Amino acid sequence: MDGFDLLSEASVADHANQHSNSPIHLLICATGMLTTHGCPPEKSLRQIDPEIMLSQFRVNAVGPALVAKHFLPLLDRKSRTAAAFLSARVGSIGDNVKGGWISYRASKAALNQIVKTASIELARTHPHAVVAAMHPGTVRTPLSDPYSKGHPTVSPEQAAASLLHTLGRQTHTGTFIAYDGSVIEW
């Protein structure tokens, strides 16, 4: 979508309005920011910078919340639809055993809560909709390249195919799942 500004509610609303004439059947919100203003993720509490943290929350949580606000109501109410919001396994509170990356982890955990809450609200009006927070795996992109050493990676095309396949098999809304369909604890 040309001119789409995730951080501008007016832009998100305008783009949603452009799609309001026909129902949406598939929505993928693929946003994420790990390195902010040239600063890598924090390794300790001492490194927290409030402006960096706010930037992480704007891109990783607030922007997707605006997408949910304006696009989820456009999902078809009569047939099965799906919406996925790209999260990250490190956004799992229960799975956090290493610490670090505080702003990124917290912003993705916030996204997970937004997705869960939106799925509950949407189920009231869109009973066939599946809304999920999804971990795409470690994808070979500029976002993950500096941090992917020692981790298996997949191409963006492989990640997209896996996400679509898994999303297509989902029957429950409000889940946090990985690209392979495995459930990730919140």
Side-chain angles (χ1 to χ4, degrees), residues 83 120 147 164:
I120 293 166
Y147 309 101
L164 288 172

Side-chain angles (χ1 to χ4, degrees), residues 3-170:
F4 184 85
D5 182 354
L6 180 73
L7 304 181
S8 163
E9 183 166 12
S11 175
V12 175
D14 179 57
H15 281 81
N17 286 335
Q18 293 174 29
H19 295 279
S20 63
N21 290 333
S22 60
I24 295 173
H25 292 91
L26 175 64
L27 174 69
I28 307 286
C29 183
T31 62
M33 181 170 66
L34 179 57
T35 299
T36 309
H37 307 299
C39 297
E42 315 94 338
K43 293 184 179 180
S44 74
L45 289 168
R46 293 183 309 277
Q47 294 176 321
I48 290 177
D49 176 311
E51 290 307 313
I52 299 294
M53 184 175 262
L54 287 171
S55 291
Q56 288 282 337
F57 271 82
R58 283 184 194 103
V59 172
N60 294 330
V62 177
L66 293 174
V67 170
K69 175 182 178 180
H70 292 283
F71 279 89
L72 288 180
L74 301 178
L75 292 175
D76 191 344
R77 292 174 187 250
K78 297 175 184 158
S79 63
R80 186 191 185 282
T81 59
F85 292 79
L86 291 197
S87 187
R89 186 176 297 277
V90 298
S92 166
I93 294 170
D95 191 48
N96 183 356
V97 295
K98 293 184 177 182
W101 291 25
I102 299 158
S103 296
Y104 184 72
R105 285 181 186 275
S107 67
K108 288 298 188 174
L111 170 64
N112 294 344
Q113 182 65 270
I114 292 163
V115 169
K116 177 66 175 177
T117 303
S119 74
I120 293 166
E121 181 177 333
L122 193 70
R124 296 177 187 132
T125 57
H126 295 71
H128 307 293
V130 171
V131 181
M134 295 188 77
H135 168 61
T138 304
V139 183
R140 289 188 295 272
T141 65
L143 179 130
S144 62
D145 279 345
Y147 309 101
S148 61
K149 291 172 184 57
H151 296 283
T153 62
V154 295
S155 71
E157 295 79 13
Q158 291 168 311
S162 294
L163 290 169
L164 288 172
H165 177 74
T166 296
L167 190 58
R169 293 182 309 162
Q170 277 303 110

